[in-house]
Amino acid sequence: MLQKTHSIAGIVAVETVIMYYHQPLLTWESGAALLIGCLVGPLADVDKKGSTMAKIFLPISFILQLLRVKHRTFTHSLFFLAGLAALLTPLPLFFLWSFLLAYASHPLIDMFNEQGIALFWPWKKKFRLLPSIFSIKTGSNAEDSFRLVLVVVMVMLPIFYMLPEGIL
């Protein structure tokens, strides 16, 4: 999936955290969390040489290249997510969950791709959610359609969240 798809998925993930914590939308906390979602959603691609995240976090990307970490392995694994969770435990729960769910959205939607991800790295087996015939190829019309669905969800979640109770 492309960076813009991952950013939108990260925002949708954070919107669910905002709703769970009953956080008002028009606060600096919600704005900061949404920014976190937008930036952290594509972060797992720091392992892909030439990606925007690899350029932004060049020292980390360089170390991953030196260690010969392949794309969609270590940084897309549950092991890495658990390490992030341990590292970020000092954060307030609202921001911790915003970061973790936005990050987790990345490997989740990459499992819709035919290549899948090494979810249980260092075990090399790649996992995907769809049979290869239905998989979403990066940059394809199918990804554009998937991203459109994510955009609709991203717009609709706050609308439903702000509706008074009992309307739906």
Side-chain angles (χ1 to χ4, degrees), residues 67-116:
L67 296 172
R68 299 183 190 266
V69 172
K70 295 185 186 215
H71 183 47
R72 295 186 177 177
T73 58
F74 174 61
T75 62
H76 289 64
S77 70
L78 291 175
F79 178 76
F80 190 83
L81 187 62
L84 280 176
L87 185 68
L88 299 173
T89 52
L91 288 177
L93 285 177
F94 174 71
F95 290 111
L96 173 70
W97 284 111
S98 294
F99 191 104
L100 291 179
L101 288 185
Y103 192 90
S105 72
H106 188 116
L108 175 66
I109 67 172
D110 271 357
M111 285 195 288
F112 287 106
N113 191 281
E114 183 178 7
Q115 297 158 335

Side-chain angles (χ1 to χ4, degrees), residues 131-150:
S132 59
I133 193 167
F134 297 116
S135 64
I136 300 172
K137 186 173 181 167
T138 301
S140 68
N141 289 336
E143 182 179 358
D144 292 342
S145 298
F146 182 77
R147 187 171 46 253
L148 179 60
V149 169
L150 284 174

Side-chain angles (χ1 to χ4, degrees), residues 5-71:
T5 306
H6 286 299
S7 288
I8 294 166
I11 291 169
V12 169
V14 168
E15 286 177 342
T16 65
V17 175
I18 290 170
M19 293 170 68
Y20 178 81
Y21 280 96
H22 304 288
Q23 179 70 35
L25 285 174
L26 300 177
T27 62
W28 76 266
E29 290 92 347
S30 291
L34 290 166
L35 182 59
I36 287 169
C38 183
L39 298 174
V40 170
L43 186 57
D45 279 344
V46 70
D47 66 354
K48 184 177 182 188
K49 188 176 181 178
S51 72
T52 302
M53 291 295 112
K55 291 174 185 172
I56 292 171
F57 297 101
L58 186 60
I60 295 169
S61 177
F62 182 71
I63 290 168
L64 292 171
Q65 287 174 38
L66 283 177
L67 296 172
R68 299 183 190 266
V69 172
K70 295 185 186 215
H71 183 47

